[in-house]
Amino acid sequence: GQAYRGQRMPAPTYGSIRDIVKQRIIAVVREVKAADSMKVLILDTPTLKTISAVCRTMEIVEEGVSLLENLERKRQPMPTMQAIYIIHPNEDSIEKVKNDFKSSQESMYAGAHIYLTSHISNDLIYSMRQCNELVQRTKSLKELNFEFVALESQCYSLGLHDAFRTLYSPVTVAKNAMIHTIADRMLTVCVTLGEFPNITYKKPARAEFDVVEKIAKALQVGLSNFDKQIVDGNSWWQPKRSDPATILIVDRSFDALTPLIHEYTYQAMVYDLIEMKDSKYKYKTSNAKGEDVEKVSSLDDSDALWVQLRHMHIADAINF
């Protein structure tokens, strides 16, 4: 059917990486038309981290979303609302979407607009097709290509906290899976930035330490395949071929000392002294009645002073 062509959303190619991801999220919400703002946005845990890093809840609500939900939690049926799913295309998330549309009597939403953070496999497409009610109610299925977290305007994370242990594990299957996961997520960064980069990597001194080389080659294959598919079927993919960016891939052996040295930036000091979580911290203050109240503040790119100070040496920041 039309809904299962795996269409790809055009990638804005201006602004910082945070701006581009935010623009795409807002574009998704605006794309779904619903009367009287009857739209619910449903996210899985990985996507929630991606979106919360660049968008405030109020910014999404202002675009006509009346409810934000976590895909992994129990939710109340909203049979008159259009559901916008922004999810990672894995088996668990797809099964939860299918469970929302078990039958015409048990469907939780009037329609489903499904946006995936990366390429969906043929097996998962087939699985979705087996859910007749989901097929009937799916209005769109598109790939967004942002399988990463934009932490700052020029800094992102692939969110693979166990990568170091896995890449240097003797378990070959787990290692190869991690190599391809890293390459796939780096591919979404390139697509988001509109880049078909030159890939450079540090050649391993010994054959058994070829992790970086394998990641570089997997990324090159992924870029070439993506480019061919898009050129054959779409016109929006127009990377900068005349003056491409360069990706330099190195492993920890390239710089083994940095993890052992404490940073002396203002940002490092804040994280040492204040309990921070997802760039937010809680503190207590007094209100007009003299009562203690707890507040939450964000230290991110929306705070101009934080952007100026965060990478300064502590001494410079104090004297700013």
Side-chain angles (χ1 to χ4, degrees), residues 75-89:
R75 290 164 278 124
Q76 291 294 323
M78 301 288 179
T80 62
M81 300 183 75
Q82 295 292 319
I84 306 172
Y85 294 89
I86 305 181
I87 59 173
H88 178 70

Side-chain angles (χ1 to χ4, degrees), residues 177-207:
M178 180 60 73
I179 286 170
H180 286 284
T181 298
I182 291 172
D184 289 345
R185 296 193 179 189
M186 289 179 68
L187 171 62
T188 69
V189 175
C190 297
V191 173
T192 295
L193 295 175
E195 293 282 357
F196 193 103
N198 295 319
I199 301 173
T200 305
Y201 61 92
K202 180 177 179 288
K203 188 174 181 179
R206 292 163 56 183

Side-chain angles (χ1 to χ4, degrees), residues 11 34 40 51 96-97 103 112 145 147 180 211 248 260 265 298 304:
V40 55
I51 292 180
K96 285 182 170 59
V97 173
S103 68
N145 290 301
E147 198 79 7
H180 286 284
V211 168
L248 174 61
L260 306 177
T265 61
S298 298

Side-chain angles (χ1 to χ4, degrees), residues 25 156 188 191 220 240 255 282 304:
I25 293 164
Y156 66 88
T188 69
V191 173
Q220 184 65 66
K240 294 175 285 186
D255 179 15
K282 298 179 181 179

